[in-house]
Amino acid sequence: MRNRWSDADAGDGPLGQCAYGSRLIGGEPTLVLHGGGNTSVKAEIADVTGAPVEVLYVKGSGHDLASIGPEGFAPLRLARLRELLTVTALSDAQMVNELRCALLDASAPDPSVEALLHAMLPHRAVQHSHADAILTLTNLADGEAVIRDVFGDDVAIVPYVMPGFDLAVRCAEVWRDRAHAGTIGLVLLNHGLFTFGDDTREAYERHLDLITRAERRLAEHNAPAPAPAPARARPTSAELALLRREISEAAGRPMIVARHADEDTARFVARADLAEVATRGPATPDHVIRTKRVPLVGRDVAGYADRYREYFERHHRRRGTELKPLDPAPRIVLDPDLGMLTVGGSAKDTDVARDIYRHTMDVITAGERLGGYRPASEEHIFDLEYWDLEQAKLRRAGAPQAFAGEVALVTGAASGIGRACARALAAAGASVVGWDLDAGVTRTLPGAGYLGQVVDVTDRAAVESALRAAVERFGGLDMVVASAGVFKAGAPISALDADAWRTSMAVNVDSVAVLFRETHPLLALAPRGGRVVVIASRNVPAPGPGAAAYSASKAAVTQLSRVAALEWAADGIRVNVVHPDAVFDTGLWTEEVLAKRAADYGMTVEEYKRRNLLRTEVSSTTVAQAVTRLCSDDFAATTGAQIPVDGGSERVV
Ligand SMILES: [Zn+2]
């Protein structure tokens, strides 16, 4: 592993250098993944009275080593931590409380649960990772002997103990009995590596040195060039959506399901011994929170859920306190035909599970080559999964967002009403698929929960392939908002332009009919029932002269939606229509057009914008709020409705 330390880039002082060294290991996915690992540095500062105080700056929980800065560290009174290490027992809750009480800054993040272990080590700088190479070697049946062989007497070995007070005490015992002047690391079996030094650079270089030695051992048993994975037929969107529905039923809430079929994954799931090697347990117990103890191999979700309940029954009494069972749905699904599916309450969660399990596949593959992958015991995994601190997080968690775990498709999502709908649905927790002709649709929303696709909704092949990609990304579809539309320049019927008429019909009606046909099988599998909202127009109940093509097309799409409401009610799908009017913050309205139109009516622009019964301005956001509410349970008993969002029109009321 390459040494990336640069004195020119290292920050100022011990804390700056610690943050820099943290980012170096945090930026290396074979060392640290998604919030894993931690680091610290000890320094002497003056407190507000001017008195010198020894401080341990340790990574704050919730901060990621890949991006941490000095503010991500929690400053603790070192003398107090050393006192805590002398008590005979400390529950997790007591430890968390004591750590907070030892802070020098009341606004600092919660210190890492491994803070006492950092405090115990006499060196100024400490780095801790969950490196793949260390996990591979320590997850072997003879892991301890292999570690001894690779590192000689340069490291002390600590048997697996759950993170927290007990681990710190166990490490202190090992340190007292085994450490000597040449000890540069602690190897925690089934867990990871600690290195230390006089400064962060030394701790970092020792880390790399030990990792490099471990990697060299792995390379001695290098695999022959991998055979290409066998080609398999892609699963259909309906197959994936059905599996997502079953997983969501087991979880008791809608879940996002992402599919991964890259070459490495395809090769792993094609292993003849897949069901056996993949169900021994995670590479380190910590991963259980993201991946559960074992993946579902195959597609029997109900069988998996039964086995999970049995696992809970086998272990929960041992703990002597009431435990709240977690949902029994898998987080990783491995299937020779599907590849890997990762499952989570959000798209981000599915990404984290994917990253962790990709490394797990590497660790399993290498471990099997070296003589057999033997992870921590089922008891250890259960104890971490049902750790007091994890249970406390569940107790604290508020109600999930209205659309958590659900997927919404919004057409016309690059601007105006479509973009506002995409944002409002995402703000309520939905993962969103946005379509538009405008390439700006890829930037409508940031983050893992958004997939922007450049799609011409009148191109059937493009619609089919975009929909397929969306299902591969999120697992299915719960909501559709049909917002893409065109308004061709007004003309009286006597001067009707046949092409303009045809385009209006193609975009405003035909494309929605195709969208309905293609999305119906997916909406019928939505865990909480499908919901469709069509953006029509006030022109439907109150047409205007000179807008024949627009009014007729919006009337047709309204009628199409009413038929869908009739046909799909038995599938639990609600279909509603909104009729907006005078929404001026869309691409259709430029300032010039607005000024001209106001002048035509003898009004100021402000008066013109509010020429409705309520004298209110209707914006894209106003429409998006109505659409979002229609998709929510507030309207669970409403289908086939047409809701004006127009400030009130005397021609409609
Ligand atoms: Zn750790």
Side-chain angles (χ1 to χ4, degrees):
M1 180 162 285
R2 198 165 69 82
N3 184 341
R4 293 194 292 129
W5 188 278
S6 149
D7 277 332
D9 296 338
D12 290 332
L15 183 55
Q17 289 183 13
C18 176
Y20 170 71
S22 305
R23 292 193 297 272
L24 289 187
I25 67 166
E28 179 50 71
T30 60
L31 294 182
V32 163
L33 281 175
H34 296 296
N38 42 60
T39 51
S40 70
V41 68
K42 302 176 182 83
E44 192 174 277
I45 62 164
D47 72 8
V48 287
T49 68
V53 49
E54 268 196 295
V55 179
L56 172 79
Y57 292 99
V58 69
K59 193 197 97 161
S61 67
H63 288 262
D64 201 305
L65 287 187
S67 56
I68 198 166
E71 71 293 341
F73 288 82
L76 294 153
R77 291 175 194 279
L78 190 54
R80 178 60 181 163
L81 302 186
R82 292 196 170 126
E83 283 171 15
L84 292 174
L85 281 161
T86 64
V87 305
T88 49
L90 208 56
S91 74
D92 292 318
Q94 284 173 319
M95 182 186 75
V96 167
N97 179 57
E98 290 299 330
L99 290 180
R100 271 220 78 81
C101 292
L103 284 168
L104 278 108
D105 176 353
S107 67
D110 278 331
S112 159
V113 292
E114 280 160 349
L116 289 175
L117 204 169
H118 286 258
M120 179 280 290
L121 291 164
H123 303 73
R124 281 166 64 89
V126 178
Q127 291 205 315
H128 167 47
S129 76
H130 301 160
D132 287 358
I134 298 294
L135 290 176
T136 304
L137 296 180
T138 65
N139 280 328
L140 297 173
D142 55 349
E144 189 166 348
V146 174
I147 292 293
R148 181 62 57 223
D149 191 42
V150 171
F151 298 130
D153 204 22
D154 292 347
V155 302
I157 299 173
V158 184
Y160 180 80
V161 176
M162 220 172 76
F165 179 73
D166 293 348
L167 176 60
V169 168
R170 191 79 180 89
C171 288
E173 289 164 5
V174 169
W175 189 261
R176 188 191 59 215
D177 298 342
R178 303 276 162 76
H180 52 82
T183 305
I184 60 169
L186 281 182
V187 172
L188 279 53
L189 298 182
N190 313 115
H191 180 164
L193 176 67
F194 275 83
T195 57
F196 19 79
D198 284 341
D199 56 22
T200 295
R201 179 176 184 158
E202 186 172 50
Y204 171 72
E205 288 177 348
R206 287 173 169 176
H207 217 86
L208 292 200
D209 169 34
L210 294 177
I211 298 294
T212 304
R213 284 197 248 170
E215 287 178 339
R216 226 176 275 140
R217 168 58 64 97
L218 295 178
E220 288 167 15
H221 296 261
N222 229 345
R232 301 273 186 175
R234 266 173 96 180
T236 65
S237 295
E239 273 179 277
L240 290 173
L242 176 62
L243 204 50
R244 169 175 177 256
R245 183 189 174 113
E246 291 173 359
I247 289 169
S248 300
E249 277 168 2
R253 62 196 163 110
M255 298 294 262
I256 301 296
V257 178
R259 176 170 178 261
H260 318 281
D262 53 286
E263 182 73 15
D264 287 346
T265 301
R267 203 178 298 120
F268 186 80
V269 299
R271 287 181 73 116
D273 59 356
L274 177 69
E276 205 271 307
V277 294
T279 53
R280 291 185 197 154
T284 183
D286 200 39
H287 291 169
V288 70
I289 306 298
R290 298 300 197 156
T291 64
K292 288 231 191 275
R293 192 181 80 81
V294 295
L296 162 58
V297 178
R299 305 189 193 187
D300 179 9
V301 177
Y304 181 94
D306 286 343
R307 289 191 296 281
Y308 186 84
R309 290 188 198 96
E310 288 159 18
Y311 155 79
F312 182 77
E313 282 306 311
R314 271 201 299 285
H315 296 288
H316 80 100
R317 283 189 198 86
R318 204 161 38 79
R319 294 281 294 280
T321 53
E322 193 68 25
L323 296 178
K324 183 176 158 49
L326 301 170
D327 76 70
R331 295 298 185 271
I332 306 285
V333 180
L334 303 175
D335 180 274
D337 292 321
L338 297 175
M340 170 168 69
L341 307 182
T342 56
V343 179
S346 68
K348 174 92 176 96
D349 287 348
T350 68
D351 285 355
V352 173
R354 171 202 64 201
D355 292 347
I356 288 176
Y357 207 78
R358 280 195 175 141
H359 287 266
T360 306
M361 290 190 279
D362 290 346
V363 170
I364 292 175
T365 304
E368 284 297 285
R369 266 202 314 270
L370 265 70
Y373 173 67
R374 295 283 177 281
S377 70
E378 192 176 285
E379 285 78 6
H380 285 322
I381 310 295
F382 182 88
D383 287 345
L384 203 138
E385 190 174 5
Y386 285 89
W387 193 1
D388 280 354
L389 301 180
E390 293 296 336
Q391 290 270 299
K393 264 190 224 164
L394 291 181
R395 286 192 293 270
R396 279 199 307 270
Q401 290 179 285
F403 301 138
E406 295 198 295
V407 186
L409 166 63
V410 181
T411 68
S415 61
I417 292 172
R419 181 171 61 191
C421 287
R423 290 177 176 169
L425 290 162
S431 290
V432 175
V433 181
W435 288 359
D436 208 295
L437 267 181
D438 180 343
V441 73
T442 56
R443 298 185 298 276
T444 293
L445 285 161
Y450 178 68
L451 175 66
Q453 299 171 299
V454 179
V455 179
D456 176 352
V457 291
T458 64
D459 177 345
R460 290 179 187 204
V463 164
E464 279 170 35
S465 90
L467 199 54
R468 193 182 176 100
V471 174
E472 298 250 329
R473 178 68 187 94
F474 297 129
L477 202 53
D478 302 274
M479 292 167 270
V480 171
V481 178
S483 176
V486 286
F487 181 88
K488 287 286 167 188
I493 295 170
S494 56
L496 190 71
D497 179 312
D499 287 343
W501 174 271
R502 197 53 257 151
T503 303
S504 296
M505 289 296 173
V507 178
N508 296 349
V509 191
D510 300 0
S511 80
V512 179
V514 170
L515 183 69
F516 276 15
R517 188 190 65 197
E518 294 299 319
T519 56
H520 171 256
L522 301 171
L523 291 167
L525 290 167
R528 299 200 309 135
R531 284 139 283 162
V532 177
V533 180
V534 171
I535 310 297
S537 170
R538 188 266 306 162
N539 269 282
V540 174
Y550 186 73
S551 300
S553 66
K554 288 295 189 182
V557 81
T558 299
Q559 205 70 345
L560 170 72
S561 305
R562 296 174 71 199
V563 175
L566 289 168
E567 291 185 1
W568 295 356
D571 299 318
I573 303 168
R574 300 191 287 110
V575 185
N576 293 292
V577 176
V578 295
H579 291 319
D581 185 35
V583 181
F584 295 110
D585 59 341
T586 67
L588 302 179
W589 292 90
T590 62
E591 268 177 49
E592 296 80 66
V593 172
L594 201 50
K596 183 178 178 307
R597 201 59 80 79
D600 289 349
Y601 280 82
M603 294 175 173
T604 66
V605 168
E606 273 313 299
E607 285 165 350
Y608 179 71
K609 279 183 174 178
R610 296 168 182 269
R611 63 186 174 98
N612 54 52
L613 290 173
L614 294 171
R615 298 276 174 261
T616 186
E617 192 176 331
V618 182
S619 69
S620 294
T621 311
T622 320
V623 181
Q625 294 301 345
V627 168
T628 308
R629 283 296 162 129
L630 272 173
C631 288
S632 78
D633 286 347
D634 292 357
F635 283 86
T638 299
T639 192
Q642 299 175 51
I643 311 235
V645 186
D646 57 5
S649 161
E650 55 204 0
R651 293 181 55 212
V652 176
V653 173

